[in-house]
Amino acid sequence: MSYEIKLDLKQSQQLVMTPQLRDAISMLQMNNLDLAEYLDKEMEHNPFLEKDEIPQSENDGSAESESSELSETFDAGTSAASIGSGGGSAFDDPEYALENRVAEQKDLRAHLMDQLNVTITQPRDKMIAALLIDRLDESGYLRETVEESAKSLACSPDRVERLLVDLRQFDPTGIFAYDLPDCLGLQLIEKNRFDPAMQALLDNLDLLAKGELKKLEKICGVDDEDIHDMIGEIRALNPKPTSGFDYTIAQTAIADALMERLPKHEGGGWKVKLNHETLPRVLINQEYVAMIDGQSGAKKDKKFLVDKLHSANWLVQAMDQRAQTILKVASEIIDAQEGFFLFGVEFLKPLTLREIAEEVGVHESTVSRITIDKYIGTPRGLFPLKYFFGSGVGSGDGGADIAAEAIKAKIKTLIDNEPLEKPLSDDALTQKLQEDGVDIARRTVAKYREAMKILSSSKRKRQNAIK
């Protein structure tokens, strides 16, 4: 047996994942709150980093070259500026990352969401109900009309009214009341103490505040003893349903980016910016930079400072790159989904990560990281960036595909407006969608209907018959 020693040359390419590259990728995936926590830790260990404490409004457009601050705005360049205002804090699915985002101590919102998830099962209804929860004021009242809610949430008044029937039965009693008399009335109904006399008393609470009891007796049609008993019952009620909770409504998510409409004299369209309320501005401490130039101490100490300065410069550059990428991705999403912002969910288009990546000029994985766990505040509410991506179905006229969520919304609208005595079958729904230019099969309609927890036409007919 013999052994031979040979020396071969081989050329290969290998990507080395440096600590800085790993941190840069990690920063792309962080939302604003996570990034703020990460920056706080970095500032504890790097004397060259400091937080800019000047309010954003006072610092706009100043000291840009000195501070290497983040780029703040990006013109989306869309024609969507004509969209109506409104909306609140919203998200696609009320269950989306909920367990990661509510406070450990159960607040009013978590309490209401628990009831919502049990009471309301249809996904779109759950989304609208969650948005209505976010519109409650500090007392637990819904201070807007059904029509106002429907307009800002891009749905029908009938749907809002139907959801409020369930929401107004939630605990604590009186929640979703329109005003104080309505709140007290809901509590009296629960106690089975609501009658025409009580209604008259609630309609004239101003007289009660003035102490004009004789007028109240006449209006309510009761005697002196009865009016005092009724007033006692009113005073035992809770005028503020939220009072039993340490916290009132808490946002389920916070916007990382914000859309603002540009005025016509600036060309219209949208301006997209980062939400600086949740993102600290990091600067390079110039006093420490000057120390390096004047450093005459040990070489080891100077090397430490130089390394920290390089690290600080890299971090500021990485943040700027992250900001630019988020703004560009958000801008392209807004441009692609202009129909949604103008007209609502039925005009949501199919969109892939690859399409956005090609427009921005980055890898698809970068867009994926950018859109993870990040939200954008829009005039239609607060949405996760992931909401705007999804597959679609071809249109019957050979045009662009239609997003699955948009088709579901169309199906739900058709069913919401169907004759109660003759609900639309899946075949009938398919035909109507095809007439509307949606090239869809009956089995797909059935799948979407079942995904929305909507009964078949025969079961809906039986259900309508017993109402």
Side-chain angles (χ1 to χ4, degrees):
M1 181 180 295
S2 63
Y3 296 91
E4 182 181 1
I5 300 176
K6 294 177 63 177
L7 182 62
D8 291 331
L9 294 177
K10 186 177 181 181
Q11 187 177 13
S12 65
Q13 289 183 329
Q14 184 177 1
L15 177 63
V16 178
M17 182 73 75
T18 65
Q20 284 190 339
L21 179 58
R22 190 162 47 244
D23 287 346
I25 292 174
S26 178
M27 287 170 63
L28 280 177
Q29 196 161 321
M30 295 177 190
N31 58 34
N32 280 7
L33 297 182
D34 293 336
L35 182 61
E37 185 178 346
Y38 170 77
L39 293 175
D40 285 340
K41 292 179 181 178
E42 289 295 313
M43 283 185 278
E44 289 177 4
H45 300 97
N46 194 325
F48 290 97
L49 293 172
E50 64 178 359
K51 188 181 296 185
D52 185 4
E53 302 294 347
I54 301 176
Q56 182 68 25
S57 59
E58 297 178 19
N59 210 7
D60 283 345
S62 64
E64 291 169 346
S65 60
E66 178 179 311
S67 67
S68 300
E69 65 182 278
L70 300 180
S71 174
E72 295 172 17
T73 62
F74 192 92
D75 187 354
T78 71
S79 59
S82 60
I83 184 174
S85 61
S89 301
F91 45 97
D92 177 30
D93 188 334
E95 297 180 36
Y96 187 89
L98 183 64
E99 61 277 0
N100 296 326
R101 293 181 169 271
V102 293
E104 290 182 5
Q105 181 173 354
K106 181 170 285 191
D107 56 22
L108 176 62
R109 190 182 203 288
H111 181 66
L112 295 175
M113 287 299 297
D114 284 346
Q115 298 172 75
L116 185 154
N117 289 327
V118 172
T119 306
I120 300 173
T121 58
Q122 200 276 325
R124 172 112 174 120
D125 283 349
K126 290 177 76 171
M127 182 183 78
I128 294 172
L131 295 175
L132 289 171
I133 288 175
D134 284 334
R135 302 172 89 82
L136 296 177
D137 69 8
E138 66 278 359
S139 297
Y141 296 170
L142 186 64
R143 304 278 192 179
E144 58 185 17
T145 66
V146 168
E147 288 72 23
E148 288 171 340
S149 297
K151 182 177 180 180
S152 60
L153 298 178
C155 63
S156 68
D158 288 343
R159 175 175 252 170
V160 173
E161 197 165 25
R162 174 169 52 80
L163 289 172
L164 285 173
V165 171
D166 288 330
L167 294 174
R168 283 163 60 87
Q169 297 179 40
F170 281 10
D171 176 76
T173 307
I175 203 75
F176 281 99
Y178 298 114
D179 51 27
L180 177 59
D182 187 33
C183 176
L184 301 177
L186 289 173
Q187 296 175 59
L188 289 168
I189 290 172
E190 185 183 65
K191 295 175 180 292
N192 199 27
R193 289 291 300 126
F194 191 82
D195 54 29
M198 275 293 191
Q199 177 68 72
L201 176 56
L202 294 179
D203 290 340
N204 294 275
L205 289 178
D206 57 326
L207 295 180
L208 177 59
K210 296 175 184 177
E212 298 181 7
L213 302 189
K214 291 299 180 184
K215 284 187 178 181
L216 280 175
E217 290 177 20
K218 185 176 180 180
I219 292 172
C220 297
V222 296
D223 58 24
D224 183 74
E225 183 179 355
D226 287 334
I227 198 67
H228 281 89
D229 288 341
M230 292 166 63
I231 292 172
E233 289 185 74
I234 292 291
R235 287 175 175 165
L237 302 176
N238 184 3
K240 188 177 179 181
T242 60
S243 61
F245 295 82
D246 292 333
Y247 301 90
T248 55
I249 295 299
Q251 289 294 341
T252 309
I254 297 175
D256 298 277
L258 301 167
M259 288 172 60
E260 290 184 358
R261 186 170 23 183
L262 289 171
K264 290 184 178 179
H265 71 270
E266 294 184 18
W270 291 101
K271 180 172 69 175
V272 186
K273 66 178 183 179
L274 296 180
N275 183 3
H276 288 283
E277 294 296 322
T278 60
L279 184 65
R281 291 154 55 88
V282 178
L283 311 178
I284 301 295
N285 189 316
Q286 297 300 321
E287 292 182 8
Y288 279 96
V289 173
M291 286 176 56
I292 292 183
D293 297 332
Q295 179 65 253
S296 58
K299 183 182 293 186
K300 181 180 179 181
D301 294 337
K302 188 166 185 177
K303 183 179 184 306
F304 170 81
L305 291 175
V306 170
D307 289 344
K308 288 296 183 182
L309 178 57
H310 287 164
S311 177
N313 280 325
W314 172 86
L315 182 62
V316 172
Q317 292 172 8
M319 286 183 62
D320 183 71
Q321 183 64 41
R322 173 187 180 273
Q324 294 293 338
T325 308
I326 290 176
L327 293 173
K328 289 177 181 178
V329 168
S331 172
E332 292 298 337
I333 290 173
I334 292 167
D335 195 48
Q337 299 292 5
E338 180 178 353
F340 167 82
F341 295 108
L342 284 171
F343 308 115
V345 69
E346 290 190 20
F347 294 84
L348 195 67
K349 293 168 53 179
L351 188 64
T352 64
L353 297 174
R354 178 174 296 180
E355 290 176 271
I356 296 298
E358 289 175 352
E359 292 294 331
V360 176
V362 297
H363 194 272
E364 187 176 338
S365 63
T366 299
V367 177
S368 177
R369 291 187 179 97
I370 283 292
T371 54
I372 288 176
D373 201 25
K374 293 186 185 67
Y375 289 72
I376 182 169
T378 80
R380 289 202 176 274
L382 185 67
F383 292 90
L385 289 177
K386 286 288 188 185
Y387 174 80
F388 300 101
F389 295 89
S391 60
V393 171
S395 61
D397 55 6
D401 287 353
I402 303 171
E405 289 300 321
I407 296 173
K408 288 180 182 178
K410 288 177 180 291
I411 293 172
K412 187 65 172 65
T413 299
L414 288 170
I415 292 175
D416 285 345
N417 294 283
E418 68 186 3
L420 294 180
E421 67 281 0
K422 192 177 181 181
L424 296 171
S425 65
D426 291 341
D427 285 325
L429 290 169
T430 302
Q431 183 178 347
K432 286 184 175 294
L433 288 170
Q434 290 175 346
E435 290 171 356
D436 196 29
V438 182
D439 186 12
I440 191 171
R442 177 194 171 283
R443 62 179 179 276
T444 307
V445 170
K447 181 179 73 173
Y448 287 169
R449 174 181 56 74
E450 291 168 358
M452 293 187 290
K453 309 293 186 192
I454 298 177
L455 299 174
S456 65
S457 58
S458 59
K459 291 182 179 179
R460 296 201 304 276
K461 185 175 182 179
R462 287 197 296 270
Q463 188 179 66
N464 294 337
I466 61 176
K467 286 183 178 180

